[in-house]
Amino acid sequence: MQTEERVGVVVEGVQSILNAGHGSDEGGVHSVMQQQQRSLPEKSQNGAMSHALAGGLAGALGKTCTAPLARLTILFQVQGMHSDVATLRNVSIWREASRIVGEEGFRAFWKGNLATVAHRLPYSSVNFCAYEQYRKCLKMIPGLESHGEYMSTDPFVNFISGGLAGITAASTAYPLDLVRTRLAAQTNVMYYRGFCHALQTICRDEGIFGLYKGLGTTLLSVAPTFAINFSVYEMLRSFWQSRRPHDSTALVSLACGSLSGIASSTATYPLDLVRRRKQLEGAGGRACVYTTGLSGTFRHIIQTEGFRGLYRGILPEYYKVVPGVGIFFMTYEILKALLAGSTLG
């Protein structure tokens, strides 16, 4: 019955167009088609801008809220570079947090956060915008177009789109990521006085390619991280909404985002640890610790710190990703809906 009513409405609409044309049927239909064709690029452009803006703001907010835990994670990850094993055994999250407050002050938990926000705005904007565009492109590939409206529940498409989006975003904003890592890793010795000073010093000491130190490891890390993030998030959200369609969108996004963050962090943490250490090679004029490639770096860490060394700092990482990724996806969904509504209005 509903289908018949919709068909009747469409027929009446077409008839009114033809009648308005006073006999010029072809001219009326042609003008309507032209208007629709002109509106498609505008809608696509507005949609891409909404995704980019919502993603950028979501990334900046999520990182700012979890900046203290993010800094603790980085400090734990890089401790094995210039510390002996005996010292590492006595480190705990509470002791390290107390040291930061006592030696550097409470505001030091947000050290490098300005660089983080400067990095996350373009990084998350490109990430979410690229993710949506890659999904649309994959939908056009023969063999995948049949998924149609079920595209958002297709794990393969979301996995590939998330990985490609992560690579695109990381390549675009990588120098900003390296700078914020070095700022956050500083403790008592302030070699870099700020964001701009860090950029100038790295270019002076290490050359322009110093800004891309560790890029290969980063791409190997972010591709599976975002592939798992997006695919697990979309799968959990679709499953939740199919069972409980009336639950709050914010609550669903927060819970599913947190679970997807745990899954991706567990799977890719060793790569993330290695990329952080690669980014800090030669920082502050120190000698390089890892002179071999990726496999040699893994081997060196296992030999000097044991297999557990690959997961150094995983606990504060979990504390960080549960609220961080949850806030990230929740803010993105809310802002995307609000921006889409204002665009339609």
Side-chain angles (χ1 to χ4, degrees):
M1 186 65 182
Q2 292 178 351
T3 304
E4 292 176 357
E5 291 176 356
R6 285 196 295 267
V7 172
V9 171
V10 173
V11 172
E12 290 177 3
V14 173
Q15 186 63 44
S16 64
I17 292 172
L18 295 177
N19 291 338
H22 299 291
S24 57
D25 297 349
E26 295 181 358
V29 173
H30 182 67
S31 63
V32 171
M33 291 178 65
Q34 283 183 329
Q35 291 176 358
Q36 291 177 343
Q37 289 174 353
R38 283 196 300 268
S39 66
L40 285 176
E42 295 176 0
K43 290 180 180 179
S44 177
Q45 185 178 8
N46 290 334
M49 291 177 63
S50 297
H51 293 147
L53 182 57
L57 293 175
L61 178 62
K63 282 294 182 180
T64 301
C65 291
T66 59
L69 291 166
R71 184 164 188 236
L72 282 171
T73 301
I74 292 174
L75 290 175
F76 271 93
Q77 285 178 331
V78 303
Q79 277 174 342
M81 293 182 70
H82 303 283
S83 304
D84 54 37
V85 178
T87 304
L88 294 175
R89 290 197 186 102
N90 299 322
V91 176
S92 68
I93 296 175
W94 178 252
R95 185 176 290 115
E96 185 65 18
S98 300
R99 184 201 64 76
I100 292 173
V101 174
E103 296 180 3
E104 305 175 58
F106 186 76
R107 291 179 60 185
F109 280 118
W110 279 267
K111 184 180 288 184
N113 189 59
L114 181 61
T116 299
V117 172
H119 166 253
R120 278 291 149 170
L121 282 171
Y123 182 84
S124 299
S125 297
V126 173
N127 196 0
F128 272 108
C129 189
Y131 173 69
E132 300 290 349
Q133 297 304 315
Y134 282 130
R135 286 179 65 192
K136 291 179 183 178
C137 292
L138 287 173
K139 186 178 179 180
M140 300 170 62
I141 296 176
L144 293 178
E145 73 278 359
S146 60
H147 291 283
E149 59 182 305
Y150 302 104
M151 195 67 169
S152 62
T153 61
D154 188 342
F156 172 76
V157 170
N158 294 326
F159 187 86
I160 298 300
S161 300
L164 292 174
I167 291 173
T168 304
S171 302
T172 304
Y174 185 77
L176 300 173
D177 183 38
L178 182 135
V179 169
R180 66 119 179 177
T181 299
R182 294 199 176 185
L183 289 174
Q186 293 186 133
T187 52
N188 295 326
V189 181
M190 300 294 293
Y191 191 76
Y192 305 113
R193 294 193 298 271
F195 184 77
C196 294
H197 180 257
L199 281 174
Q200 295 172 355
T201 306
I202 293 169
C203 291
R204 184 195 67 206
D205 295 349
E206 306 166 53
I208 191 67
F209 290 107
L211 294 173
Y212 292 88
K213 190 171 288 185
L215 176 60
T217 309
T218 298
L219 295 182
L220 286 175
S221 171
V222 299
T225 296
F226 282 101
I228 295 171
N229 254 340
F230 279 109
S231 58
V232 172
Y233 171 75
E234 295 282 5
M235 181 177 62
L236 291 175
R237 190 180 63 146
S238 298
F239 178 79
W240 188 322
Q241 290 179 337
S242 66
R243 297 298 189 275
R244 302 174 64 90
H246 301 296
D247 284 352
S248 168
T249 302
L251 175 64
V252 174
S253 300
L254 182 64
C256 295
S258 299
L259 292 173
S260 69
I262 292 174
S264 62
S265 292
T266 303
T268 63
Y269 189 79
L271 276 171
D272 186 61
L273 180 139
V274 171
R275 97 180 163 94
R276 292 296 186 199
R277 295 194 178 186
K278 283 290 200 181
Q279 287 178 333
L280 289 166
E281 283 279 61
R286 287 182 172 180
C288 291
V289 179
Y290 309 110
T291 56
T292 55
L294 180 63
S295 59
T297 303
F298 273 109
R299 190 163 53 249
H300 184 278
I301 293 173
I302 294 172
Q303 288 174 352
T304 56
E305 305 170 50
F307 183 78
R308 292 179 60 183
L310 295 175
Y311 285 88
R312 187 174 303 283
I314 188 68
L315 197 56
E317 174 72 7
Y318 282 148
Y319 295 156
K320 179 190 73 173
V321 300
V322 169
V325 181
I327 293 171
F328 183 54
F329 277 109
M330 180 187 71
T331 308
Y332 172 71
E333 296 291 350
I334 293 173
L335 289 175
K336 187 174 71 170
L338 290 174
L339 291 170
S342 64
T343 301
L344 290 173

